[in-house]
């Protein structure tokens, strides 16, 4: 019986080629989209699961008292707190301090100061200064010299396999050799561990023994706070721990709440910093707390992806239901005959389900092939590595089986029941109507649902595109064009050559300005602290952020002074520049009036010598904040270079040459400002690309369904169209006759989609401090687009029907 | 009113070529009631379709109201059709989705008759056809005879100069068939030209001329002296 069903199913599908093709193409595209989404979701969900103890690992984080109203979570742990955490929490089996570091590792050469090899860690690599307990917690795989206790002694380093190979060609040769951090801090290689997989948030190049940090000369170089400091900390200092039992998080949190009670100062808002636990399983998904990896993906984004996947699969299944029910009348006679001959409903259902299963099966195979071809497109929306074929994905067979089962049931069950429920006498009668079977309303509802989803995605895409254009064309308050920035070291030797570098760069003909500074105008870094205005009794209740800049910063980055003058050349604090928001929030009056005032920074008062027009210091997600700019030479770990637009490649080559001459031990690791700025909006661009991509897919699948229905409507109404033509109907009469029902459905869908999209996109835009308004024209244009696409789809069918020969339609035989 | 000159229609499929009409010369005067007869497949319906401007001849000339129309475009033919020709079919070809009233009104929508006038004419005709009480019914709720009466009303609502009827009584019993034929004869007496395809010798006697076709050619033309009313 099964093979008989399959054989008949196959014949039926071959007979109705158009119907079969539309169904298979729609389902294939839908399934391919779901597989691509699965690839992204499974990749994101696989993060950090490779560690043996992953469910017992936690990170200790801090709650910063923050501003008056809010309490911010932060990852930084002061050095003194680290010490307490190692001993005072009984629920911790092991505790490891780490300090993140993005160093240049060098292999010393024969000539002093010029290394044999040098490699700098970009944003995607990291080194940890770590305690030996780090390995107890994370259980690395050791290739050689698993002498983990060496991490307890100063000046030791463990390399990852790939970095050992970079530095020494063969990892086997690395152990026992010497490498240097920034060609300055010497370390002995004590072991090599296997590279951590791509799906961890530890892109570790090396582990450096934590006590290395405690040597005085290194502490100064790395700018560390003194050991006993509770009230100064860097987000690079973090603590990981292994719980004795994974269920002890609450107990540990209770203990943590008391740590630092005597150490931390009270903030102006009366609160004190405390600690709590972030489960390691949240490291990749936390909105607020940064990690050491390449990216974070909030659960919200993963849920959106899964939701889009389900919607697309639903839309594709709806097509199937619609086309199958619209075909129902044509199959009625067959049903009537089969029932008359003794076919039971269950047998008929089995037969119709076989057809569905066959279509879903074929679509599934084609969908997998399509997904494999479309895989490279994922790079626009995700970090997912693209080298693994789909079938190697874990659980992929289970997913395929689920899709097969769910879609077959979802798409096939209703039409099968409708068809098999015909009474033979009704089914054999010539006048059977889809209308009488309740199929029409269902079809209409499903078409509306499809277009609601498509329209929401299309409107969202339009709004994200508009917002991204707005961001890109927004005046940031500084000039990012042709400004190249790169980092430099600030150890005492490098510091001594800063001016040499600056002068040499200034001498290059394609370079107009050079500035040494702590940070470019816009960045994700924040230095901030309390401050006081001279003559006031208390610190302000809000913080100011700081930038440490030289006398040429404003020219290099094109900042606009509103009053006063720029900072005079100086190695240390002498004067300050503030921005408009600073004087507005501190109520210092006009920019000119503010020039008379002094600001207390780190214990001493300095005069405001200039007020600069507000410029964006963070992405457009954040509003302007008070900003103070001062000069401090030992914080100049970045260089900004303004170039002319002539022979940029030549200028870059000269810059590289100059850098290598001045700092032969360092690696030039630079980028143009506009590329850096783009990075801030990577997530937003991905969101936009997702909406665009899946919006187009959704509308494509919906239109396929509409095409099928329109073809069917035209076929069903052939006689009517013939009569109308004979009576004098024009082509446009017929086209509008066939299209208006469908267009009405799309219009209804728009009325539902627009408020939903409005709400969703206001939520999204609320995350930007500066954003476009949700003007009605966006909705109008997107709506018109949906109507136009639908009209073209059904209109073409209408046109074909309208120009067909009416005699064929009216012939009785 | 209608003149064809060596009118030809050839149907081609991949393998065979069938000549449905072979050099047909036909002349019909205003006010005539012509019955076209002949065995199945002789080309009756093809001739009627070409005369009704819903099909194109493969060759020859066709003069409709003294104009050569065989090369007319679909738009021109549609225009000529909706103002001058009414159709009655064997299977009625009413639109199932429209009510009796709407079916009759439909041709006037295409000739852009004002709403008031449409209402007046539709109701008049439904009265005349004794179908007013059924005006809100749908075709499938009517008997065959009633459906054909509605179809006749629809065919004449635009006051066409000519009515083409393809086996108008073929799906009706004799009483209903008689009614329809009487209506046609009445219309003819009022001045409408009628061309009717029929198998029935009885029906043909309602007309004043019988044209017999065989294998796509006119084999005889007889004038009938008296009306049977």
């Amino acid at each position: 019986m099964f093979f008989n069903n399959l054989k008949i199913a196959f014949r039926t599908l071959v007979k109705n080629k158009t119907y079969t093709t539309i169904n298979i193409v729609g389902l294939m595209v839908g399934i391919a989209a779901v597989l691509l989404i699965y690839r992204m979701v499974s990749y994101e969900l696989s993060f950090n699961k490779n560690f043996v103890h992953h469910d017992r690992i936690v990170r200790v984080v801090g709650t910063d008292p923050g501003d008056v109203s809010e309490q911010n979570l932060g990852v930084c742990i002061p050095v003194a707190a680290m010490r307490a955490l190692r001993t005072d929490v009984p629920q911790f089996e092991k505790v490891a301090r780490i300090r993140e570091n993005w160093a240049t590792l060098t292999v010393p050469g024969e000539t002093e100061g010029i290394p044999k090899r040098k490699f700098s860690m970009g944003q995607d690599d990291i080194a940890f200064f770590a305690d030996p307990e780090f390995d107890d917690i994370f259980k690395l795989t050791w290739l050689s010299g698993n002498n983990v206790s060496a991490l307890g002694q100063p000046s030791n380093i463990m390399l990852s396999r790939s970095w050992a190979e970079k530095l020494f060609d063969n990892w086997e040769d690395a152990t026992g050799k010497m490498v240097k951090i920034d060609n300055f801090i010497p370390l002995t290689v004590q072991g090599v561990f296997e590279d951590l997989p791509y799906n961890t948030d530890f892109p570790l190049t090396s582990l450096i023994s934590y006590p290395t940090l405690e040597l005085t000369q290194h502490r100064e170089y790395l700018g560390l706070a003194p050991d006993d400091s509770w009230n100064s900390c860097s987000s690079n200092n973090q603590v990981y721990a292994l719980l004795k039992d994974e269920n002890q998080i609450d107990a540990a949190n209770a203990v943590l709440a008391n740590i630092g009670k005597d150490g931390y100062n009270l903030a102006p808002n009366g609160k004190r910093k405390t600690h709590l636990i972030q489960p390691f399983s949240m490291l990749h998904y936390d909105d607020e707390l940064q990690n050491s990896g390449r990216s974070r993906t909030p659960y919200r984004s993963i849920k959106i992806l899964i939701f889009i996947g389900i919607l697309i699969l639903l839309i594709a299944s709806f097509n199937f239901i619609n086309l199958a029910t619209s075909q129902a009348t044509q199959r009625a006679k067959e049903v009537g005959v089969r029932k008359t001959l003794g076919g039971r409903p269950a047998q008929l259902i089995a037969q119709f389900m076989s057809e569905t299963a066959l279509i879903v099966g074929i679509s599934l195979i084609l969908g997998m092939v399509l997904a494999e071809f479309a895989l490279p497109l994922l790079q626009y929306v995700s970090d997912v590595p693209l080298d693994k074929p789909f079938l190697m994905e874990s659980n992929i067979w289970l997913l395929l089986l689920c899709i097969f089962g769910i879609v077959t049931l979802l798409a096939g069950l209703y039409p099968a029941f409708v068809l098999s429920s015909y009474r033979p006498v009704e089914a054999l009668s010539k006048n059977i109507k889809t209308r009488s079977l309740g199929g029409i309303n269902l079809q209409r509802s499903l078409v509306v649902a499809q277009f609601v989803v498509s329209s929401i995605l299309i409107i969202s895409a339009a709004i994200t595109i508009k917002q991204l254009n707005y961001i890109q064309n927004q005046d940031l308050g500084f000039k990012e064009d042709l400004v190249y920035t790169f980092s430099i070291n600030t150890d005492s030797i490098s510091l001594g050559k800063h001016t040499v570098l600056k002068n040499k760069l200034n001498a290059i003909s394609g370079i107009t300005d050079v500035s040494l500074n702590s940070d470019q105008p816009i960045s994700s870094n924040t230095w901030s602290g309390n401050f006081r205005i001279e003559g006031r009794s208390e610190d302000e209740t809000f913080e100011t952020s700081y930038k440490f800049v030289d006398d040429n910063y404003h020219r290099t980055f094109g900042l606009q002074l509103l009053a006063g003058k720029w900072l005079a050349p100086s190695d240390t604090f002498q004067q300050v520049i503030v921005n408009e928001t600073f004087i507005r929030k501190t109520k210092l009056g006009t920019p000119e009036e503010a020039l008379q005032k002094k600001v207390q920074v780190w214990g001493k008062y300095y005069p405001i010598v200039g007020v600069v027009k507000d410029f964006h210091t963070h992405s457009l997600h954040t509003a302007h904040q008070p900003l103070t700019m001062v000069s401090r030479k030992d914080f100049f770990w970045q260089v900004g270079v303004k170039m002319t637009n002539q022979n940029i490649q030549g200028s870059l080559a000269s810059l590289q040459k100059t850098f290598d001459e001045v700092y032969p031990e360092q690696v030039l690791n630079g980028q143009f400002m506009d590329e850096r700025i783009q990075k801030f909006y990577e997530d937003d661009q991905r969101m936009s690309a997702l909406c665009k991509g899946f919006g187009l897919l959704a509308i494509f699948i919906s239109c396929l369904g509409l095409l099928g229905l329109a073809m069917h409507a035209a076929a069903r109404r052939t006689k009517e169209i013939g009569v109308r033509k004979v009576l004098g109907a024009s082509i446009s009469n017929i086209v509008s006759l066939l299209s208006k029902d469908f267009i009405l459905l799309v219009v209804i869908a728009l009325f539902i989609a627009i408020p939903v999209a409005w709400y969703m996109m206001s939520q999204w835009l609320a995350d930007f401090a500066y954003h476009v308004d949700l003007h009605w024209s966006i909705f109008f244009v997107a709506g018109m687009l949906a109507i136009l696409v639908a009209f073209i789809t059904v209109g073409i069918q209408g046109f074909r029907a309208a120009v067909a020969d009416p005699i064929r339609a009216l012939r009785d035989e | 009113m209608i003149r064809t000159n060596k009118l030809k229609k050839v149907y081609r499929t991949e393998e065979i070529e069938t000549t449905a009409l072979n050099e047909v010369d036909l002349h019909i005067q205003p006010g005539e009631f012509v019955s076209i007869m002949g065995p199945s497949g002789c080309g009756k319906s093809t001739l009627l379709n070409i005369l009704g401007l819903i099909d194109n001849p493969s060759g020859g000339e066709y003069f409709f109201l003294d104009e050569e129309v065989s090369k007319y475009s679909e738009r021109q033919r549609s225009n000529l059709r909706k103002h001058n020709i009414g159709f009655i079919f064997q299977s009625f070809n009413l639109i199932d989705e429209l009510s009796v009233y709407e079916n009759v009104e439909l041709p006037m929508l295409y000739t852009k008759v004002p709403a008031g006038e449409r209402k007046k004419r539709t109701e008049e005709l439904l009265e005349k056809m004794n179908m007013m009480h059924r005006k809100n019914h749908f075709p499938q709720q009517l008997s065959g005879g009633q459906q054909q009466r509605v179809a006749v009303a629809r065919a004449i609502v635009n006051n066409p100069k000519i009515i083409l009827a393809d086996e108008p009584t073929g799906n009706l019993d004799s009483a209903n068939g008689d009614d329809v034929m009487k209506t046609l004869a009445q219309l003819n007496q009022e001045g409408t030209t009628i061309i009717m395809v029929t198998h029935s010798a009885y029906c043909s006697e309602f007309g004043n001329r019988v044209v017999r076709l065989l294998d796509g050619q006119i084999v005889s033309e007889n004038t009938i002296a008296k009306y049977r009313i």
Side-chain angles (χ1 to χ4, degrees), chain A residues 599-808:
Chain A
V599 180
Q600 189 194 52
V601 182
W602 294 341
K604 280 181 74 177
Y605 285 99
Y606 301 98
I608 297 174
V609 294
V611 177
V612 74
K613 189 170 177 355
D614 276 339
F615 58 89
H616 286 280
T617 55
H618 290 83
S619 81
L620 265 62
H621 285 285
T622 317
H624 290 305
Q625 288 161 350
L627 173 70
T628 305
M629 288 185 278
V630 290
S631 179
R632 184 169 165 174
K633 189 182 174 183
D634 54 344
F635 282 3
F636 290 166
W637 43 73
Q638 195 180 247
V639 184
V641 173
K642 174 87 176 176
M643 298 183 180
T644 61
N645 59 4
Q646 267 125 38
N647 191 14
I648 295 170
Q649 287 311 318
S651 304
L652 278 176
S654 307
L655 191 155
Q656 174 81 53
K657 189 161 163 273
T658 306
F659 184 90
D660 287 341
E661 280 167 16
V662 180
Y663 294 119
E665 77 287 5
Q666 294 179 32
V667 180
L668 178 68
N669 208 346
Q671 222 174 5
F672 278 100
M673 277 278 283
D674 41 7
E675 292 167 0
R676 285 189 199 273
I677 293 171
Q678 282 300 324
K679 281 221 151 222
F680 291 134
Y681 303 110
E682 232 170 30
D683 283 348
D684 302 315
Q685 261 151 357
R686 284 178 174 181
M687 160 91 178
S688 179
L690 267 183
C691 288
K692 263 186 282 185
F694 289 106
L696 287 177
L697 268 189
I699 206 148
F700 171 73
I701 299 175
S702 308
C703 280
L704 262 187
L706 211 53
L707 177 73
L709 288 180
M711 283 168 78
H712 180 259
R716 189 168 50 85
R717 298 173 81 170
T718 309
K719 191 186 96 176
E720 177 188 344
I721 293 165
V723 173
R724 285 178 183 269
K725 281 195 69 179
V726 167
L727 294 177
S730 64
I731 291 176
S732 59
N733 288 143
I734 303 288
V735 171
S736 83
L737 174 79
L738 285 175
S739 313
K740 68 170 191 264
D741 287 354
F742 293 112
I743 300 304
L744 181 71
L745 296 182
V746 177
V747 171
I748 293 171
L750 281 172
F751 273 103
I752 301 171
I754 285 175
V756 177
W758 185 294
Y759 174 76
M760 282 169 43
M761 292 324 283
S762 343
Q763 298 285 308
W764 183 72
L765 286 176
D767 207 24
F768 290 88
Y770 305 90
H771 59 74
V772 290
D773 290 327
L774 284 177
H775 194 256
W776 62 267
S777 61
I778 303 176
F779 297 89
F780 182 77
V781 171
M784 280 296 141
L785 198 71
I787 291 176
L788 183 72
V789 172
F791 180 73
I792 291 172
T793 311
V794 295
I796 288 173
Q797 284 315 305
F799 183 77
R800 282 178 55 184
V803 296
D805 188 353
I807 301 174
R808 283 174 195 275

Side-chain angles (χ1 to χ4, degrees), chain A residues 431 433 435 716-717 719-721 723-731 733-734 737 802 805-807 809-812, chain B residues 11 49 54-55 74 78 81-82 85 87 89-91 93-98 103 106-107 110-111 140 154 158 171:
Chain A
N431 290 326
K433 292 276 172 295
R435 188 190 294 279
R716 189 168 50 85
R717 298 173 81 170
K719 191 186 96 176
E720 177 188 344
I721 293 165
V723 173
R724 285 178 183 269
K725 281 195 69 179
V726 167
L727 294 177
S730 64
I731 291 176
N733 288 143
I734 303 288
L737 174 79
D805 188 353
I807 301 174
L810 298 177
R811 198 170 287 151
D812 280 315
Chain B
Y11 292 110
N49 287 337
I54 51 178
D55 200 357
E74 169 60 28
S78 169
R81 203 161 60 212
K82 65 187 173 193
I85 307 175
F87 288 87
F89 304 92
Q90 178 179 358
S91 54
N93 279 335
L94 296 176
I95 293 174
D96 293 338
E97 285 74 16
L98 302 182
N103 263 294
L106 186 62
Y110 295 132
T111 49
Q140 59 270 34
R154 187 180 65 181
N158 267 336
N171 282 359

Side-chain angles (χ1 to χ4, degrees), chain A residues 588-605:
Chain A
L588 288 183
T590 65
E592 286 73 21
E593 288 163 354
L595 294 179
Q596 319 301 323
K597 302 294 188 304
K598 284 185 172 179
V599 180
Q600 189 194 52
V601 182
W602 294 341
K604 280 181 74 177
Y605 285 99

